[in-house]
């Protein structure tokens, strides 16, 4: 068995790892590259392999930086099955349809600016391409070893990152020999609301370990929840709106969970709450259908408080007209909208309306990749450009770090310590400073560690 790294090797997006074993070629993930305009242009470039030569793909979860180039892969010749956890299969169409819609709109707007009227700009993929992807999806439950190709078995374990997220165990058998590759996928934090904790794996010959937050420890979750309450009170006192750029999968549902749990303490009945994301609304419906995957403690909130997904003053805004109507509220509105890094979606329209107001607040609750609008705002940019308009940033900004869907350095080390045989590690899905910090801690344990590099090959 050998692994070649085609993405998320020195960055946190574009997850894509090619595995060759027993004469077969399998991909682990095929994610979208996100970040600056220059970064995102790389999504149009050829893959570092022939898509038609890939026999199967194993998808760890439905975040777009792990699944977002699946339609491109299929369009360019991949015809094999896409194996993933059952809840991920339900989320996948929602995520890809939304991404395709945005790509189509971007191409349409770009073509309108062509003076000669020619449609030179093409979307990366279309909703028709997504339909073909879904026809190739094969859903599996957790903990069911399944032979996906002769001599090659996959098993999913709970990763605790988002609904349906999985750690992938890939076993290759040839004659009497067996090799085990474990891909962490994205790991969540223990004690994350709604989700079950990441599961340990006992044995592996090689581990591909994510390192998004490999260089830091998250703030205590209890302190983070207290901070959210303080931000809400501050925003109410200032007489403005509170904007929350939130990822449609995971973060939005957790925010609603905390709103339900502290409904009375935070006086949330005085606010108007808008979930202005058609995608997040659909994702929340999928969460509602998969309560069998919830942590048992999550159901406690359902008993004595409002249901998180059906708060009395929560309004799901579907149409563009409903979204525009939110602009009439200059105070007293909590607006949860995508995208989480502010690099697309309806949040950009609300930022344009609110960033110039000193009484407005923006609360960032997730990772902001370099090159994104969210990262520039978090880093304190005094001015930003939105829809061609130069906007002075007067709104107050808050970064709430303890709600991360990713395990921090202690969490990653704790998960790795579950391996009885202390296997070698290749660090993926992280910027170099985070990976170097995590590598140092692993080496203190006597572990052999490498940092994945684009197109590098690692034997298993």
């Amino acid at each position: 068995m050998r692994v070649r790294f085609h993405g998320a090797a020195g960055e946190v997006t574009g997850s894509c790892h090619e595995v060759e074993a027993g004469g077969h070629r399998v991909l682990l993930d095929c994610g979208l590259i996100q970040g600056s305009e220059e970064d995102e242009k790389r999504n149009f470039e050829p893959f570092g392999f022939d898509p038609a030569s890939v026999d199967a793909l194993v998808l760890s979860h439905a975040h777009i930086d792990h699944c977002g180039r699946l339609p491109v892969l299929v369009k360019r010749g991949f015809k094999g099955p896409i194996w993933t956890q059952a809840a991920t299969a339900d989320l996948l169409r929602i995520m890809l349809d939304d991404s395709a819609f945005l790509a189509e709109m971007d191409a349409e707007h770009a073509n309108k600016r062509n003076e000669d009227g020619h449609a030179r700009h093409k979307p990366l993929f279309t909703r028709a391409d997504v339909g073909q992807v879904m026809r190739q999806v094969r859903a599996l439950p957790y903990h069911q070893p399944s032979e996906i190709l002769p001599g090659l078995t996959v098993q999913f374990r709970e990763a605790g990152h988002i609904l349906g997220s999985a750690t992938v165990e890939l076993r290759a058998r040839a004659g009497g020999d067996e090799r085990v590759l474990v891909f962490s996928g994205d790991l969540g934090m223990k004690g994350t609301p709604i989700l079950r904790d990441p599961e340990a794996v006992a044995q592996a010959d090689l581990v591909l370990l994510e390192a998004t937050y490999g260089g830091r420890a998250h703030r205590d979750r209890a302190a983070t929840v207290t901070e959210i309450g303080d931000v809400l009170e501050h925003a109410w006192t200032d007489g403005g709106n509170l904007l929350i750029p939130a990822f449609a999968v995971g973060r939005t549902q957790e925010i609603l969970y905390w709103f339900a749990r502290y409904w009375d303490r935070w006086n949330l009945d005085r606010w108007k709450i808008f979930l202005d994301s058609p995608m997040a609304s659909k994702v929340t419906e999928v969460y509602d259908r998969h309560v069998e995957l919830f942590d048992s403690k999550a159901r406690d909130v359902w008993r004595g408080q409002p249901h998180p997904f059906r708060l009395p003053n929560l309004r799901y805004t579907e149409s563009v007209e409903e979204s525009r109507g939110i602009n009439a509220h200059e105070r007293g509105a909590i607006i949860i909208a995508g995208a989480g890094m502010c690099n697309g979606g309806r949040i950009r329209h609300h930022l344009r309306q609110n960033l110039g107001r000193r009484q407005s607040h923006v609360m960032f609750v997730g990772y902001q990749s370099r090159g994104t609008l969210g990262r520039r705002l978090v880093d304190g940019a005094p001015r930003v450009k939105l829809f061609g308009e130069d906007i002075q940033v007067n709104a107050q900004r808050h970064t709430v770090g303890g709600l991360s869907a990713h395990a921090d350095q202690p969490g990653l080390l704790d998960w790795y310590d579950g391996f009885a045989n202390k296997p070698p590690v290749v660090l993926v899905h992280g910027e170099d400073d985070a990976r170097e910090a995590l590598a140092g801690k692993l080496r203190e344990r006597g572990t052999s560690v490498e940092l994945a590099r684009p197109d590098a090959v690692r034997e298993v």
Side-chain angles (χ1 to χ4, degrees), residues 260-261 263-264 298-307:
R261 183 165 177 179
W263 175 260
D264 295 323
R299 299 185 186 91
D300 293 341
V301 173
W302 272 245
R303 296 189 182 104
Q305 300 292 342
H307 191 292

mmCIF file of all heavy atoms in Angstrom, residues 260-261 263-264 298-307:
data_model
loop_
_atom_site.group_PDB
_atom_site.id
_atom_site.type_symbol
_atom_site.label_atom_id
_atom_site.label_comp_id
_atom_site.label_asym_id
_atom_site.label_seq_id
_atom_site.Cartn_x
_atom_site.Cartn_y
_atom_site.Cartn_z
ATOM 1 N N ALA A 260 -31.095 27.243 22.813
ATOM 2 C CA ALA A 260 -32.164 26.537 23.515
ATOM 3 C C ALA A 260 -31.803 26.292 24.978
ATOM 4 O O ALA A 260 -32.614 26.490 25.886
ATOM 5 C CB ALA A 260 -32.450 25.209 22.814
ATOM 6 N N ARG A 261 -30.560 25.898 25.205
ATOM 7 C CA ARG A 261 -30.139 25.555 26.566
ATOM 8 C C ARG A 261 -30.156 26.771 27.491
ATOM 9 O O ARG A 261 -30.504 26.659 28.672
ATOM 10 C CB ARG A 261 -28.748 24.941 26.538
ATOM 11 C CG ARG A 261 -28.273 24.493 27.905
ATOM 12 C CD ARG A 261 -27.085 23.582 27.819
ATOM 13 N NE ARG A 261 -26.595 23.216 29.127
ATOM 14 C CZ ARG A 261 -25.562 22.402 29.342
ATOM 15 N NH1 ARG A 261 -24.930 21.873 28.308
ATOM 16 N NH2 ARG A 261 -25.173 22.125 30.556
ATOM 17 N N TRP A 263 -31.878 29.647 26.929
ATOM 18 C CA TRP A 263 -32.994 30.462 26.457
ATOM 19 C C TRP A 263 -33.411 31.505 27.494
ATOM 20 O O TRP A 263 -33.521 32.697 27.184
ATOM 21 C CB TRP A 263 -34.168 29.554 26.117
ATOM 22 C CG TRP A 263 -35.413 30.256 25.722
ATOM 23 C CD1 TRP A 263 -36.513 30.508 26.496
ATOM 24 C CD2 TRP A 263 -35.702 30.805 24.439
ATOM 25 N NE1 TRP A 263 -37.466 31.177 25.781
ATOM 26 C CE2 TRP A 263 -36.994 31.373 24.519
ATOM 27 C CE3 TRP A 263 -34.990 30.871 23.248
ATOM 28 C CZ2 TRP A 263 -37.588 32.002 23.437
ATOM 29 C CZ3 TRP A 263 -35.594 31.497 22.156
ATOM 30 C CH2 TRP A 263 -36.875 32.054 22.259
ATOM 31 N N ASP A 264 -33.612 31.071 28.719
ATOM 32 C CA ASP A 264 -34.053 31.993 29.768
ATOM 33 C C ASP A 264 -32.911 32.883 30.254
ATOM 34 O O ASP A 264 -33.081 34.094 30.398
ATOM 35 C CB ASP A 264 -34.642 31.208 30.951
ATOM 36 C CG ASP A 264 -35.907 30.459 30.574
ATOM 37 O OD1 ASP A 264 -36.695 31.014 29.783
ATOM 38 O OD2 ASP A 264 -36.106 29.329 31.053
ATOM 39 N N ALA A 298 -27.614 15.118 24.531
ATOM 40 C CA ALA A 298 -28.232 16.157 23.708
ATOM 41 C C ALA A 298 -29.740 16.183 23.910
ATOM 42 O O ALA A 298 -30.365 17.244 23.866
ATOM 43 C CB ALA A 298 -27.916 15.930 22.236
ATOM 44 N N ARG A 299 -30.342 15.035 24.156
ATOM 45 C CA ARG A 299 -31.792 14.972 24.280
ATOM 46 C C ARG A 299 -32.289 15.630 25.562
ATOM 47 O O ARG A 299 -33.472 15.948 25.688
ATOM 48 C CB ARG A 299 -32.244 13.525 24.206
ATOM 49 C CG ARG A 299 -31.885 12.847 22.872
ATOM 50 C CD ARG A 299 -32.458 11.438 22.772
ATOM 51 N NE ARG A 299 -31.997 10.778 21.568
ATOM 52 C CZ ARG A 299 -30.895 10.025 21.498
ATOM 53 N NH1 ARG A 299 -30.168 9.831 22.585
ATOM 54 N NH2 ARG A 299 -30.523 9.460 20.377
ATOM 55 N N ASP A 300 -31.389 15.841 26.538
ATOM 56 C CA ASP A 300 -31.802 16.490 27.778
ATOM 57 C C ASP A 300 -32.314 17.899 27.524
ATOM 58 O O ASP A 300 -33.233 18.374 28.193
ATOM 59 C CB ASP A 300 -30.627 16.550 28.770
ATOM 60 C CG ASP A 300 -30.217 15.162 29.249
ATOM 61 O OD1 ASP A 300 -31.037 14.238 29.103
ATOM 62 O OD2 ASP A 300 -29.094 15.017 29.754
ATOM 63 N N VAL A 301 -31.701 18.591 26.553
ATOM 64 C CA VAL A 301 -32.104 19.964 26.246
ATOM 65 C C VAL A 301 -33.518 19.987 25.671
ATOM 66 O O VAL A 301 -34.279 20.920 25.896
ATOM 67 C CB VAL A 301 -31.098 20.608 25.269
ATOM 68 C CG1 VAL A 301 -31.574 21.965 24.791
ATOM 69 C CG2 VAL A 301 -29.750 20.740 25.944
ATOM 70 N N TRP A 302 -33.889 18.939 24.971
ATOM 71 C CA TRP A 302 -35.204 18.884 24.336
ATOM 72 C C TRP A 302 -36.329 18.851 25.394
ATOM 73 O O TRP A 302 -37.431 19.253 25.121
ATOM 74 C CB TRP A 302 -35.321 17.636 23.465
ATOM 75 C CG TRP A 302 -34.854 17.775 22.049
ATOM 76 C CD1 TRP A 302 -35.623 17.692 20.927
ATOM 77 C CD2 TRP A 302 -33.525 17.980 21.596
ATOM 78 N NE1 TRP A 302 -34.843 17.843 19.802
ATOM 79 C CE2 TRP A 302 -33.550 18.017 20.181
ATOM 80 C CE3 TRP A 302 -32.291 18.149 22.219
ATOM 81 C CZ2 TRP A 302 -32.419 18.210 19.409
ATOM 82 C CZ3 TRP A 302 -31.159 18.341 21.453
ATOM 83 C CH2 TRP A 302 -31.234 18.381 20.071
ATOM 84 N N ARG A 303 -36.014 18.369 26.587
ATOM 85 C CA ARG A 303 -37.064 18.120 27.580
ATOM 86 C C ARG A 303 -37.552 19.393 28.269
ATOM 87 O O ARG A 303 -38.738 19.675 28.297
ATOM 88 C CB ARG A 303 -36.563 17.112 28.624
ATOM 89 C CG ARG A 303 -36.274 15.740 28.021
ATOM 90 C CD ARG A 303 -35.989 14.690 29.094
ATOM 91 N NE ARG A 303 -35.670 13.397 28.493
ATOM 92 C CZ ARG A 303 -34.459 12.897 28.409
ATOM 93 N NH1 ARG A 303 -33.426 13.575 28.897
ATOM 94 N NH2 ARG A 303 -34.245 11.722 27.843
ATOM 95 N N GLY A 304 -36.607 20.184 28.835
ATOM 96 C CA GLY A 304 -37.030 21.307 29.658
ATOM 97 C C GLY A 304 -36.968 22.657 28.980
ATOM 98 O O GLY A 304 -37.345 23.656 29.584
ATOM 99 N N GLN A 305 -36.490 22.718 27.745
ATOM 100 C CA GLN A 305 -36.316 23.994 27.045
ATOM 101 C C GLN A 305 -36.963 23.902 25.666
ATOM 102 O O GLN A 305 -37.371 22.821 25.231
ATOM 103 C CB GLN A 305 -34.825 24.306 26.904
ATOM 104 C CG GLN A 305 -34.068 24.431 28.224
ATOM 105 C CD GLN A 305 -34.471 25.652 29.023
ATOM 106 O OE1 GLN A 305 -35.065 26.584 28.487
ATOM 107 N NE2 GLN A 305 -34.170 25.640 30.322
ATOM 108 N N PRO A 306 -37.044 25.031 24.950
ATOM 109 C CA PRO A 306 -37.542 24.952 23.566
ATOM 110 C C PRO A 306 -36.669 24.029 22.736
ATOM 111 O O PRO A 306 -35.473 23.897 22.991
ATOM 112 C CB PRO A 306 -37.425 26.402 23.078
ATOM 113 C CG PRO A 306 -37.370 27.237 24.304
ATOM 114 C CD PRO A 306 -36.705 26.401 25.353
ATOM 115 N N HIS A 307 -37.268 23.396 21.749
ATOM 116 C CA HIS A 307 -36.496 22.549 20.840
ATOM 117 C C HIS A 307 -35.515 23.430 20.073
ATOM 118 O O HIS A 307 -35.902 24.469 19.523
ATOM 119 C CB HIS A 307 -37.434 21.837 19.865
ATOM 120 C CG HIS A 307 -36.777 20.753 19.073
ATOM 121 N ND1 HIS A 307 -35.819 21.003 18.123
ATOM 122 C CD2 HIS A 307 -36.946 19.406 19.097
ATOM 123 C CE1 HIS A 307 -35.422 19.870 17.588
ATOM 124 N NE2 HIS A 307 -36.089 18.878 18.164
#
